[in-house]
């Protein structure tokens, strides 16, 4: 037993439960909101080209990717900070603003990395309940803001329940918050959103100096294995995030893949449209079977199952489909391969 003193905040951290991984026989992995598509050929070629320089460090802050993202969103490079996945970027953001005796507020149930990244800072996590239909209740979230609150995390679309925050409710929420409180709008699933009333995050950046928008290449862009995410915000905030970012954390392969992906928007749109069509097929199939399914604006749907969540996920597994159970709450099903979804719907039909 080591006698090294661990920070109490670290000793108390919950573990991150990753989605199940397939083992052996043919299974459909609908448990981690990944893209079912292999990388685009242009992206593979860009990664292969970068391999000849593996003996070299990558650019310290991935400047070429920062420039590419800034151009893509019509922002200045000083408004972009990249990192090894948006979870790590979120960790850097919170390190920059929160510590012991501070609070960070977010809705719950939401993304399960939040309690961990908040916990690491030593700040207290304060959670507000969701509305019954799986939507974020921004009024309830505001009510949990105190003078100790340093940041509020808003996940839209909300993982794992699915709905997106609406633009009008977001504006009201921002107007009611002190400008000293940082709002992190986590948009990991932005590309899949079809609700015309959903929050327009990047244009909101101009209006709110206390807003940071988080995006990732892990979901719609299908680069979860390469680890690239980024934050957009005011230069002063971005400079603070960069100051605490681990240097060289985005590899040259990841940087090249992300730059190339940004240039392949037609292919991206085609793939996203396919997933959105399949999402409708899955959700409407479930509703036809008698399930209640919240609005789904990401690449996943949510079924509230209470104590049946774990046994239902086991039944899916026996049928060759891995879904993500949240014990005693529900099950999240990613929009993956069409055959996997059909097989999932067959199992779901036997359960209602
Ligand atoms: C998947 C996901 C992320 C992305 O994580 P990466 O570290 O970029 O792979 C961020 N936020 C939410 C809500 C997610 O579901």
């Amino acid at each position: 037993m080591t006698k090294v003193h661990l920070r109490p905040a670290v000793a108390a951290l919950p573990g991150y439960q990753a989605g199940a991984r397939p083992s052996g026989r043919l299974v459909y992995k609908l448990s981690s909101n990944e893209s079912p598509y292999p990388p685009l050929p242009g992206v593979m070629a860009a990664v292969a080209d970068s391999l000849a320089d593996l003996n070299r460090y990558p650019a310290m802050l991935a400047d070429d990717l920062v420039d590419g993202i800034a151009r893509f969103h019509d922002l200045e490079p000083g408004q972009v900070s990249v990192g090894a996945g948006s979870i790590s970027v979120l960790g850097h953001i919170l390190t920059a603003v929160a510590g012991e005796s501070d609070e960070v507020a977010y809705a719950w149930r939401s993304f399960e990395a939040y309690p961990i990244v908040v916990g690491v800072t030593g700040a207290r996590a304060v959670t507000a309940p969701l509305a019954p239909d799986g939507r974020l209740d921004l009024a309830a979230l505001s009510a949990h803001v105190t003078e100790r609150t340093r940041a509020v995390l808003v996940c839209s679309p909300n993982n794992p329940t699915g709905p997106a925050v609406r633009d009008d409710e977001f504006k009201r929420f921002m107007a009611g918050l002190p400008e000293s409180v940082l709002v992190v709008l986590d948009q990991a699933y932005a590309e899949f959103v079809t609700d015309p009333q959903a929050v327009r995050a990047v244009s909101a950046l101009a209006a709110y100096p206390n807003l940071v928008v988080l995006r990732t290449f892990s979901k719609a862009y299908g680069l979860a294995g390469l680890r690239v995410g980024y934050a957009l915000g005011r230069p002063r905030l971005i400079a603070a995030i960069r100051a605490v970012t681990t240097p060289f954390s985005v590899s040259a392969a990841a940087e090249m893949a992300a730059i190339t992906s940004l240039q392949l928007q037609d292919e991206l749109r085609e793939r996203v449209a396919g997933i959105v069509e399949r999402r409708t097929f899955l959700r409407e199939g479930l509703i036809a079977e008698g399930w209640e399914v919240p609005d789904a604006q990401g690449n996943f749907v949510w079924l509230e199952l209470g104590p049946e969540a774990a046994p239902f996920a086991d039944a899916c597994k026996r049928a060759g489909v891995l879904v993500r159970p949240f014990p005693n709450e529900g099950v999240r099903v990613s929009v993956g391969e069409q055959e996997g979804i059909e097989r999932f719907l067959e199992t779901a039909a036997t359960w209602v």
Side-chain angles (χ1 to χ4, degrees), residues 124-307:
R124 196 165 80 87
V126 174
T127 58
L130 292 175
D133 54 0
R135 303 196 75 88
L136 254 61
D137 181 344
L138 293 184
L141 195 49
S142 296
H144 285 73
V145 171
T146 73
E147 59 194 28
R148 289 172 186 258
T149 308
R150 294 293 172 266
V152 183
L153 313 182
V154 177
C155 189
S156 178
N158 189 48
N159 175 10
T161 55
V165 165
R166 283 190 297 259
D167 205 57
D168 58 342
E169 58 181 351
F170 186 73
K171 285 180 174 144
R172 226 174 304 129
F173 169 73
M174 292 302 292
L177 275 187
E179 271 195 28
S180 56
V181 174
L182 177 69
V183 174
V184 181
L185 184 52
D186 183 347
Q187 289 212 301
Y189 304 95
E191 296 83 0
F192 299 109
V193 172
T194 50
D195 178 357
Q197 296 191 62
V199 58
R200 285 178 290 279
V202 177
S203 46
L205 283 170
Y208 306 111
N210 55 331
L211 176 63
V212 163
V213 175
L214 264 188
R215 294 283 184 96
T216 182
F217 286 94
S218 295
K219 306 289 160 56
Y221 284 97
L223 297 178
L226 275 175
R227 317 301 307 127
V228 202
Y230 58 95
L232 305 173
R234 292 293 169 97
R236 180 168 166 264
L237 289 174
I238 292 298
I241 298 165
R242 287 180 182 176
V244 300
T245 293
T246 313
F248 309 110
S249 61
V250 176
S251 70
E255 182 178 19
M256 285 314 300
I259 290 173
T260 308
S261 298
L262 283 176
Q263 293 160 356
L264 298 174
Q265 288 299 311
D266 290 346
E267 289 86 343
L268 175 83
R269 264 193 292 273
E270 199 176 306
R271 287 183 163 191
V272 165
I275 294 291
V276 165
E277 198 176 305
R278 233 177 256 175
R279 173 178 82 193
T280 306
F281 172 80
L282 169 58
R283 184 165 179 270
E284 289 182 354
L286 285 164
I287 290 170
E289 290 176 0
W291 292 87
E292 269 185 38
V293 192
D295 184 25
Q297 292 291 316
N299 63 342
F300 54 90
V301 300
W302 171 251
L303 298 179
E304 201 176 307
L305 278 148

Side-chain angles (χ1 to χ4, degrees), residues 17 35 41 60 64 80 112 139 156 188 211 217 228 254-255 274 282-283 314 329 334 341 346 350 352:
Q17 294 288 326
S35 168
M60 193 170 87
D64 290 345
V80 181
E112 71 164 325
S156 178
L211 176 63
F217 286 94
V228 202
E255 182 178 19
L282 169 58
R283 184 165 179 270
D314 284 342
E329 292 179 79
S334 308
I341 289 169
E346 285 166 23
T350 66
V352 262

